[in-house]
Amino acid sequence: MSTHFQGRFEVEFKYRLTDRAAFLTALKALNPEVMVEDNHERDCYFDTPQRLLAEQGKSLVIRTMQPSGIRLWIVKGPGADRCEAVNITDADKAISMLHNLGYQQVLTLTKRRSIYFVGPFHLTLDHLDGLGDFAELAIMTDEEAKLPGYRQQLQGLAAQLALSADRLETRSYRTLCEQQSAF
């Protein structure tokens, strides 16, 4: 996993895209490094039967990515800035272990994702069936004091990419999926 994904904290801005092609054109003008394009990701969310993790503002996710073959154990929260991920070699075994500990799979989310690097930042271009296209601009760090500066830098990058504040999406994909399925 790239050093782009190391750290305990993450600053992330997600934007709902109205024109995927225009975003890609603006991104390509910045000459990004490509990590993966059109990867298929499957995120399996787990919680206790009482939904204690959600109550605490935490998410526990096992992510598998194809064709890259990357498998991750991800814990987000509490709070929007807290995020840790670690590579795992056997997602099925990790899922079995979580079930053995009493966790239940509460959601499966699939998306098509491309990941790019622009300087220290990683940008993802995501498509989720039923939800549409999104761009995420992010950076991870172990230094909490750097978060305000990174927020400003990411907002500047968003402006370069013609991503306007009125398209900012503050809800997680999990929340968006849960709200969509409630209708």
Side-chain angles (χ1 to χ4, degrees):
M1 189 163 51
S2 165
T3 58
H4 281 87
F5 302 106
Q6 293 179 1
R8 294 176 300 140
F9 301 99
E10 178 181 47
V11 177
E12 177 183 274
F13 292 103
K14 178 179 11 214
Y15 296 87
R16 189 176 286 274
L17 298 178
T18 54
D19 188 340
R20 180 184 177 96
F23 171 78
L24 265 173
T25 299
L27 176 61
K28 299 288 184 182
L30 298 177
N31 195 29
E33 177 186 343
V34 177
M35 179 182 165
V36 295
E37 287 187 312
D38 294 323
N39 224 25
H40 293 277
E41 293 190 7
R42 181 173 177 257
D43 290 351
C44 298
Y45 287 79
F46 292 86
D47 206 334
T48 65
Q50 302 79 20
R51 302 294 192 261
L52 295 176
L53 293 178
E55 215 174 270
Q56 298 169 23
K58 297 177 182 177
S59 290
L60 171 56
V61 181
I62 301 295
R63 174 176 292 163
T64 55
M65 303 164 64
Q66 294 299 332
S68 69
I70 297 170
R71 293 169 298 280
L72 301 172
W73 180 298
I74 302 168
V75 176
K76 289 191 174 201
D81 293 334
R82 190 66 197 251
C83 178
E84 295 184 78
V86 66
N87 280 312
I88 57 176
T89 57
D90 189 335
D92 292 334
K93 180 62 79 176
I95 289 170
S96 175
M97 292 166 65
L98 287 168
H99 285 137
N100 189 37
L101 289 169
Y103 287 91
Q104 298 175 344
Q105 192 166 327
V106 294
L107 176 71
T108 300
L109 188 148
T110 58
K111 60 185 169 279
R112 185 183 53 179
R113 172 172 276 184
S114 298
I115 303 172
Y116 306 92
F117 302 132
V118 174
F121 305 109
H122 56 274
L123 288 75
T124 62
L125 176 57
D126 295 332
H127 177 80
L128 287 83
D129 287 339
L131 292 179
D133 294 310
F134 298 86
E136 292 182 345
L137 287 60
I139 188 168
M140 295 188 76
T141 183
D142 280 318
E143 298 179 56
E144 193 170 7
K146 289 187 173 184
L147 297 179
Y150 285 145
R151 278 189 191 91
Q152 283 188 316
Q153 292 175 51
L154 283 169
Q155 288 168 337
L157 181 58
Q160 282 183 275
L161 294 166
L163 297 170
S164 61
D166 67 322
R167 302 303 299 170
L168 189 64
E169 178 56 72
T170 57
R171 295 169 293 179
S172 68
Y173 289 140
R174 176 182 181 169
T175 299
L176 289 169
C177 285
E178 289 171 344
Q179 289 174 345
Q180 182 187 41
S181 63
F183 292 107

